[in-house]
Amino acid sequence: MSRVMRVRLSGVRPSRVALTVEEAARRLGVGRTTMYALVASGEVPSVTIGRLRRVPAEALKEYVAARTQAPVSTVALAA
């Protein structure tokens, strides 16, 4: 039995490198329209494969990581 067949039979889906815009929206927990806006503005990069628009899974990780870094405060703390 091939590895792909075993993975499918076990119920575990192999992770995909590129996602549809709808799949990317589900992963981020945002709506489809919001995801399309993020892609259109360039905030989340995407690639065209033939006539299809795909969002690299790594791009989602980078988008979230960029927004979870603590901003550096320019305000001095009172002692």
Side-chain angles (χ1 to χ4, degrees):
M1 183 180 302
S2 73
R3 181 181 182 283
V4 173
M5 188 63 116
R6 279 184 297 218
V7 169
R8 286 190 180 150
L9 290 176
S10 68
V12 177
R13 292 184 62 193
S15 60
R16 293 174 49 195
V17 176
L19 310 166
T20 65
V21 175
E22 289 83 3
E23 290 169 335
R26 281 195 298 274
R27 279 204 185 175
L28 281 182
V30 300
R32 185 177 65 94
T33 303
T34 300
M35 191 71 225
Y36 272 105
L38 290 170
V39 167
S41 71
E43 288 184 68
V44 174
S46 65
V47 294
T48 302
I49 303 171
R51 294 176 58 191
L52 306 173
R53 173 68 51 189
R54 294 293 183 253
V55 177
E58 191 64 31
L60 296 180
K61 292 177 186 177
E62 292 168 3
Y63 176 79
V64 171
R67 275 139 193 84
T68 55
Q69 295 175 354
V72 177
S73 177
T74 58
V75 177
L77 298 175

